[in-house]
Amino acid sequence: MQKYILRRVLQAIPLLWFISIVSFALIKLAPGDPVLSFVTPDMDAEAVERVRQSLGLDQPIYIQYWIWLKNVFMGNLGYSVSNHRPVLTLIVERLPATIGLMGSALLLSLIISIPLSMYAASRQNRPADRVLGLISYIGISIPSFWFGIMLIYLFAVKLNWLPSMGMRTIGVDSIWDIMKHGILPCTVLAFMNVSVYMRYIRSHTISQLEEDYVQIQYAYGATQGTVLRRHVLKNVLLPIITILGMSFPELIAGAFITESVFSWPGMGLLGINSVFSLDYPVIMGITMISSVMLVIGNLVADVLYGVVDPRIKTMG
Amino acid sequence: MKWRNVLTQLKEQKAALAALIILAVFVLMSVLAFLSPYDPNKIMPMDKLQAPNASHWFGTDDYGRDYFARALYGGRVSLSVGFLSMAIAVLVGTAVGTVSGYFGGWVDNVLMRMVDVLMSIPSFFLIMILNAYLKPSISTIIIIIGMLSWMNIARIVRAETLSVKEREYVLYARVSGQSRLNIILKHIVPNIMPTIIVAATINIASAILMESSLSFLGLGVQQPNSSWGSMLNNAQGYIGEAPYLALFPGMFILLTVLSFNFLGDVFRVAFEPRANRR
């Protein structure tokens, strides 16, 4: 097992290295001059050139990449072009908001989708299953920003129950206030997650229900509820691990669109703002962190498969 | 190809039939948009923010433009972005997938590692970045979305190619000395067509969603052009006084994407009846 993990980690290193090269090249080769955001009308050409030099942008691209890579290894992701603060600090500041939102959405989605999809599976092709199926179709087809706007219209504008944006009411500092701000974005994220999860868990449950061990339980006179809770649930862990692996990068990188609709001050909003201001060090930082999370998420999921189900040989 | 199964499926599943009809109506509406008496870009400050009424079915927006006409023309943009970027993604994905699967060896290794790398970068973020740097225009959006969404198709096509290339007719073709390009085009691609069609249908849905999100953020289709997504761009600001501005384009996107996803599933069941009917 340790050998397997070690090998996977070693394989991940060149992958991450390639990712950094590809994203660096794409960001750099794209037209648009980040120096322009420093230029004020009273600066002459020489002053502009000095700014360019101070940012290291006068160097050829492979030297810029080399400098960037060296700095990354020393824990320095560079400085934001728009407010000159360290990228790492900007990211760390945003993490709690994102992890809080994405984490609660993930938890909520699991709590909802596991029983619902097992119920749907046990009622395969009957009306209840069909209705849940349609809802999950809508969930994967709905534009998340539009769903968010509709929720804002209903609960913030019409009913005035919940705040429509931000994470805190100015002057109020309580967990309850943050939670109230989180309800709508959390609902949007959870609805979309549940729709995706349900398809996985439902089809996995259906194949489990055809297994011998389930039939034997029935023969012993167990009720369907007991079988589902005591036996099938354990075996549904595998798709759940896949899901968790998939969701891991989002937990850190946030959801760009949902955070933007609700002005939730997390990583997603930071990402969008950095795109608008062409703040390439921040863009690079976020790209790298989310890619690392994606690779880690996949790795952890693969390792967990072996732990949960010894029949799967992860050593091979 | 089992097109007859598709018909059976459509007859069996009323929802799928509805999806097909909805799509046909939307395509027809955006093709015939010029029949609308209103110019979608004509600014009429006197008429701004009218609620839906007899002369303006969907009301008017903050510039007094007829919202129904804008939705018709917006449909043109949304649907063509969906179709054309799907075409790019399918072409690239099929080419990479078949070559990778058929040739194997180092070609396969290089191409698949490339797919791994591209899939490990958050693609929506990448699309946002590229579109911000390049001057956003409809054709840039199509190319960017197409070029960044082929990886999944490549993986699926590669897996199918691996199984098809061991079939006897491919072996015979190889023995009879046909060129590899010929074998891929004449023997492999036609046999994995069902898979490609399913992937393509679902790809249209995701391309339309992507374009709408991009335009909603203001990084996609720019004024005076409109797509359903860009119509929603400033609808959020008027949500209190004119909620219909957000309602209509969003409904159109939802129905379109839903229909394509439905059709994708119908195709899958029709082409591989044994695979699963779940």
Side-chain angles (χ1 to χ4, degrees):
Chain A
M1 182 55 102
Q2 274 139 345
K3 240 189 191 164
Y4 172 75
I5 296 176
L6 187 71
R7 208 186 67 211
R8 286 293 306 263
V9 171
L10 288 179
Q11 277 174 349
I13 291 170
L15 179 65
L16 288 173
W17 184 52
F18 271 122
I19 292 170
S20 78
I21 292 180
V22 171
S23 19
F24 199 85
L26 281 175
I27 292 168
K28 283 292 176 175
L29 292 177
D33 191 350
V35 175
L36 292 182
S37 66
F38 286 85
V39 173
T40 49
D42 56 299
M43 284 166 99
D44 54 8
E46 217 177 296
V48 173
E49 221 26 60
R50 271 202 302 276
V51 174
R52 191 181 303 278
Q53 275 176 23
S54 72
L55 292 169
L57 291 171
D58 55 333
Q59 305 280 347
I61 179 167
Y62 59 89
I63 301 213
Q64 288 185 37
Y65 174 74
W66 178 240
I67 294 172
W68 178 84
L69 192 67
K70 250 185 0 199
N71 282 329
V72 168
F73 275 104
M74 294 188 290
N76 176 4
L77 286 173
Y79 295 88
S80 157
V81 171
S82 48
N83 59 17
H84 313 294
R85 300 182 52 214
V87 172
L88 198 62
T89 318
L90 284 174
I91 289 178
V92 170
E93 273 175 5
R94 299 291 187 119
L95 271 182
T98 289
I99 295 182
L101 176 64
M102 303 308 285
S104 34
L106 185 64
L107 200 67
L108 187 67
S109 317
L110 286 177
I111 294 175
I112 296 174
S113 60
I114 296 173
L116 266 191
S117 22
M118 291 179 72
Y119 175 72
S122 68
R123 291 262 175 287
Q124 198 188 344
N125 290 336
R126 287 202 240 154
D129 181 35
R130 294 270 159 115
V131 169
L132 287 173
L134 182 67
I135 292 174
S136 109
Y137 254 119
I138 293 176
I140 58 168
S141 307
I142 203 167
S144 57
F145 58 91
W146 183 67
F147 185 44
I149 294 174
M150 290 292 119
L151 286 183
I152 289 176
Y153 175 67
L154 191 61
F155 292 102
V157 177
K158 276 277 134 181
L159 299 171
N160 208 6
W161 286 353
L162 295 164
S164 65
M165 57 186 291
M167 195 169 88
R168 289 190 173 89
T169 315
I170 297 167
V172 183
D173 190 22
S174 70
I175 294 283
W176 172 232
D177 183 51
I178 295 180
M179 276 171 68
K180 243 167 77 176
H181 281 84
I183 292 178
L184 290 183
C186 198
T187 309
V188 172
L189 293 166
F191 181 46
M192 295 190 308
N193 283 347
V194 166
S195 310
V196 178
Y197 298 178
M198 268 182 58
R199 314 187 116 213
Y200 279 91
I201 305 177
R202 176 181 170 276
S203 74
H204 196 85
T205 309
I206 288 176
S207 60
Q208 287 299 316
L209 287 176
E210 286 157 7
E211 294 275 328
D212 288 344
Y213 74 88
V214 171
Q215 301 304 325
I216 290 172
Q217 291 301 325
Y218 283 141
Y220 279 141
T223 59
Q224 191 169 42
T226 328
V227 175
L228 284 176
R229 252 176 289 121
R230 291 234 185 106
H231 306 281
V232 177
L233 185 59
K234 263 187 258 169
N235 286 295
V236 173
L237 264 176
L238 279 183
I240 293 173
I241 290 173
T242 316
I243 287 167
L244 290 177
M246 279 185 335
S247 313
F248 191 60
E250 271 202 338
L251 192 64
I252 309 295
F256 299 111
I257 295 160
T258 309
E259 286 189 8
S260 158
V261 171
F262 293 97
S263 309
W264 187 265
M267 291 274 286
L269 202 57
L270 178 70
I272 285 183
N273 290 336
S274 67
V275 168
F276 274 116
S277 52
L278 302 186
D279 197 339
Y280 68 94
V282 180
I283 295 177
M284 230 14 236
I286 294 179
T287 312
M288 281 323 290
I289 288 191
S290 4
S291 314
V292 170
M293 292 306 148
L294 195 76
V295 172
I296 295 180
N298 285 339
L299 176 64
V300 172
D302 285 351
V303 170
L304 278 182
Y305 287 146
V307 175
V308 171
D309 189 346
R311 285 171 301 183
I312 297 177
K313 279 226 176 71
T314 44
M315 322 294 169
Chain B
M1 209 84 94
K2 297 149 185 159
W3 288 107
R4 200 182 292 160
N5 290 355
V6 175
L7 284 181
T8 326
Q9 275 294 312
L10 285 178
K11 266 183 224 149
E12 240 174 61
Q13 295 193 28
K14 294 283 172 288
L17 194 63
L20 201 63
I21 293 172
I22 288 174
L23 288 178
V25 169
F26 281 175
V27 169
L28 211 63
M29 269 168 50
S30 49
V31 170
L32 300 178
F34 61 88
L35 290 178
S36 157
Y38 294 99
D39 176 350
N41 296 325
K42 193 168 182 205
I43 295 172
M44 304 279 277
M46 307 285 282
D47 294 342
K48 74 174 195 169
L49 294 179
Q50 283 184 19
N53 56 48
S55 54
H56 298 286
W57 291 354
F58 284 7
T60 57
D61 69 1
D62 45 330
Y63 290 103
R65 297 174 292 198
D66 180 60
Y67 215 51
F68 186 61
R70 285 187 76 71
L72 294 182
Y73 283 92
R76 278 190 179 181
V77 175
S78 293
L79 291 171
S80 28
V81 170
F83 276 108
L84 294 174
S85 39
M86 173 275 283
I88 295 177
V90 165
L91 278 179
V92 178
T94 310
V96 172
T98 46
V99 167
S100 195
Y102 187 75
F103 283 73
W106 66 269
V107 179
D108 184 28
N109 252 324
V110 169
L111 288 176
M112 283 303 115
R113 289 302 82 75
M114 197 166 84
V115 168
D116 286 347
V117 169
L118 283 175
M119 283 189 101
S120 306
I121 304 175
S123 71
F124 185 72
F125 195 45
L126 208 57
I127 291 173
M128 264 168 38
I129 298 163
L130 289 177
N131 219 42
Y133 278 102
L134 306 167
K135 275 275 148 280
S137 73
I138 295 172
S139 44
T140 351
I141 294 168
I142 292 173
I143 294 171
I144 294 177
I145 294 182
M147 291 306 287
L148 286 171
S149 55
W150 55 268
M151 290 85 78
N152 252 325
I153 300 181
R155 275 193 181 165
I156 302 168
V157 166
R158 173 180 172 274
E160 284 282 298
T161 307
L162 283 180
S163 81
V164 168
K165 82 169 184 187
E166 302 300 335
R167 305 254 171 91
E168 281 177 354
Y169 54 81
V170 176
L171 291 179
Y172 290 144
R174 202 185 301 167
V175 172
S176 68
Q178 292 193 31
S179 74
R180 294 195 254 200
L181 183 70
N182 223 348
I183 295 178
I184 289 180
L185 287 181
K186 283 212 180 128
H187 300 287
I188 294 190
V189 171
N191 278 292
I192 56 175
M193 213 48 182
T195 313
I196 297 176
I197 291 176
V198 173
T201 317
I202 291 169
N203 193 276
I204 299 180
S206 65
I208 291 177
L209 265 187
M210 236 180 230
E211 182 276 327
S212 71
S213 313
L214 208 57
S215 298
F216 165 71
L217 293 174
L219 290 163
V221 176
Q222 305 290 317
Q223 299 278 6
N225 284 321
S226 66
S227 74
W228 291 333
S230 73
M231 291 171 75
L232 287 166
N233 176 236
N234 49 6
Q236 193 177 0
Y238 292 98
I239 191 70
E241 39 195 317
Y244 55 88
L245 288 183
L247 185 68
F248 293 120
M251 280 309 284
F252 282 10
I253 300 174
L254 172 61
L255 286 174
T256 311
V257 175
L258 192 64
S259 305
F260 276 117
N261 278 332
F262 253 148
L263 280 188
D265 251 25
V266 166
F267 288 151
R268 183 165 60 218
V269 176
F271 293 145
E272 298 163 56
R274 261 173 313 146
N276 48 40
R277 280 177 165 269
R278 278 163 200 160

